[in-house]
Structure formats: structure tokens, C-alpha cells
């Protein structure tokens, strides 16, 4: 990190619309706030399982609110999220494991592609409303501008112990900071980590790091 730059880690999963909101806002603010933004792709399913957390949409009243909330935030931050009640069923039927392993493989080989690749997965899942099947991975990578030989290599790496371990370690690290869901934003300031959960605490993050 450069002089006086606060390291901010964003632990995220592309199945989470709130992660997309947090991601876009931090991408926009990284230069304004002069932060050293680090993307940490993790697996939300693993966190939910290990912390005993449940998707908010499992509570009917909360699901009702979540629909309105995501729509409001998407409009406010100008992020093209399309969400309807049916999407909750779609999420329950979908695992983001393959997508997050692919993203992790890219993180380990060419991390400069992390931002466009992650964004493209969110667009596919939350704007174009498609299932995160393994078969969509290469089209998503192509759309994000990844060279095909890199995508092919990452696809082969996905099932390797190295990638699986890295994803598990990142997920565990988020939980060590106290995460119980995603996005989990960790600001390293004044020698200690500060955890912020969700995408609606970013002004608080700014205030804590003196922005």
C-alpha cells in the first residue's frame, strides 16, 4: 500500500446482489478515498453453513423488504440489478461454487481481470437473470475480455486442490474477521481490522478511516 493508503478488503460472492452494490461503490470510491482495495472472492454458501446463518429471503416479511430495498439501492447507485420474488427460488436452486472457483483461479493467475470478470458474473446473474451453470463460465469470461487461453487454463484449475483450498481459506479468513454473510468489508486502520457487513455501511466505513 502507498503512503497513508488504508487497505480495504472486500469479501464477496457473485450470488449476492448486495455484494454487487458494495463492489461497485468501493470501485468508484477507491481513488476518492485513496484506499488500497483488495478483492477477496469467497463462498457465501460456506459462510452460511458454518455460521448457521440463513438467507434473509427465507423469512417472508424480510424477503418482501429485501425486494424493495435492493431495487431502491440499485436505482440509487445506478447498478442494473433486476430482482423479483422468483429470484429467491432461483438463488436457492443455484450454487455459486463453480463461478467462485473460476474467479479464484483467475485471482491466482491474472488478478487484474478480477474486476471485469466479477462484474460480468453479476450482470449475467442479476441483470440477464441466468443460472450460474458451469456452461456459462466461458461466455462470461469472454464477455469480460479474458483471453481464451487464460479462461481455458482457469477452467482446468477449478477442480484442483490449490484453487479449492484458496477459496476455502479466503472464506475462513472472512469468518475470522467476524463475517456471517457477504459482502464483508474489512478496513485495516490504525493497526486493527474493522468489519462492516453489507453495502449500506459504506459511509460509516468512510468515517472510520477518516474520509
Amino acid at each position: 500500500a502507498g503512503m497513508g493508503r488504508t487497505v480495504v478488503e472486500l469479501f464477496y460472492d457473485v450470488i449476492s446482489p448486495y455484494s454487487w452494490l458494495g463492489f461497485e461503490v468501493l470501485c468508484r470510491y477507491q481513488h476518492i478515498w485513496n484506499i488500497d482495495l483488495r478483492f477477496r472472492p469467497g463462498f457465501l454458501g460456506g459462510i452460511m453453513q458454518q455460521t448457521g446463518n440463513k438467507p434473509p429471503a427465507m423469512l417472508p416479511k424480510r424477503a418482501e423488504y429485501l425486494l424493495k430495498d435492493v431495487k431502491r439501492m440499485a436505482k440509487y447507485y445506478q447498478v442494473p440489478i433486476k430482482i423479483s420474488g422468483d429470484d429467491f427460488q432461483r438463488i436457492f436452486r443455484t450454487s455459486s461454487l463453480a463461478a467462485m472457483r473460476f474467479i479464484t483461479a483467475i485471482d491466482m493467475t491474472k488478478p487484474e481481470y478480477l474486476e471485469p470478470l466479477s462484474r460480468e458474473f453479476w450482470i449475467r446473474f442479476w441483470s440477464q437473470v441466468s443460472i450460474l451453470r458451469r456452461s456459462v463460465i466461458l461466455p462470461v469470461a469472454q464477455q469480460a475480455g479474458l483471453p481464451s487461453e487464460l479462461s481455458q487454463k482457469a477452467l482446468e484449475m477449478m477442480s484442483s486442490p490449490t484453487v479449492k483450498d484458496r477459496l476455502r481459506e479466503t472464506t475462513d479468513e472472512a469468518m475470522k474477521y467476524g463475517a456471517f454473510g457477504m459482502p464483508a468489508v474489512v478496513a485495516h486502520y490504525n493497526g486493527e481490522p474493522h468489519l462492516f457487513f453489507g453495502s449500506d455501511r459504506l459511509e460509516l466505513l468512510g468515517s472510520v478511516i477518516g474520509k
Side-chain angles (χ1 to χ4, degrees):
M3 279 297 289
R5 283 172 79 195
T6 303
V7 172
V8 174
E9 297 181 274
L10 170 67
F11 292 89
Y12 69 93
D13 185 320
V14 295
I15 203 164
S16 152
Y18 285 112
S19 285
W20 190 10
L21 291 163
F23 171 90
E24 294 297 357
V25 176
L26 286 171
C27 284
R28 290 170 200 174
Y29 273 81
Q30 59 181 326
H31 303 302
I32 300 167
W33 284 352
N34 193 27
I35 57 176
D36 180 10
L37 180 60
R38 299 189 183 169
F39 299 124
R40 305 296 309 277
F43 181 48
L44 180 56
I47 290 187
M48 297 303 251
Q49 201 178 0
Q50 290 185 63
T51 59
N53 195 355
K54 288 189 167 52
M58 285 177 82
L59 266 172
K61 277 293 171 202
R62 202 167 166 195
E64 222 174 275
Y65 174 78
L66 196 131
L67 270 178
K68 291 178 191 151
D69 188 49
V70 171
K71 281 177 183 166
R72 270 194 305 234
M73 285 187 78
K75 190 177 174 189
Y76 179 75
Y77 288 120
Q78 301 286 292
V79 177
I81 298 174
K82 294 194 175 87
I83 188 169
S84 72
D86 300 341
D87 286 322
F88 298 137
Q89 293 314 311
R90 188 167 60 107
I91 297 167
F92 296 145
R93 286 198 310 271
T94 302
S95 170
S96 60
L97 191 56
M100 295 318 295
R101 279 183 182 157
F102 184 81
I103 291 169
T104 299
I106 292 298
D107 187 21
M108 295 171 82
T109 46
K110 290 269 185 214
E112 59 269 32
Y113 284 110
L114 264 187
E115 185 184 328
L117 178 65
S118 302
R119 181 176 288 118
E120 207 50 59
F121 270 111
W122 273 305
I123 289 171
R124 180 65 61 120
F125 195 67
W126 288 108
S127 278
Q128 297 163 359
V129 194
S130 80
I131 295 279
L132 293 179
R133 289 199 183 91
R134 198 183 160 105
S135 58
V136 306
I137 290 176
L138 286 179
V140 166
Q142 190 182 359
Q143 192 69 36
L146 275 71
S148 58
E149 60 278 13
L150 175 63
S151 304
Q152 212 49 59
K153 184 185 172 188
L155 207 59
E156 285 157 25
M157 284 172 69
M158 270 170 63
S159 47
S160 72
T162 340
V163 167
K164 290 179 179 177
D165 289 348
R166 168 74 170 265
L167 183 59
R168 198 177 301 116
E169 280 156 21
T170 305
T171 307
D172 287 345
E173 209 177 313
M175 286 186 287
K176 282 193 191 105
Y177 285 127
F180 50 87
M182 282 179 176
V185 182
V186 179
H188 298 270
Y189 189 69
N190 275 349
E192 57 176 309
H194 300 262
L195 170 75
F196 299 87
F197 171 65
S199 50
D200 55 351
R201 288 290 179 270
L202 299 172
E203 67 277 24
L204 207 54
L205 161 71
S207 145
V208 166
I209 64 174
K211 302 297 173 188

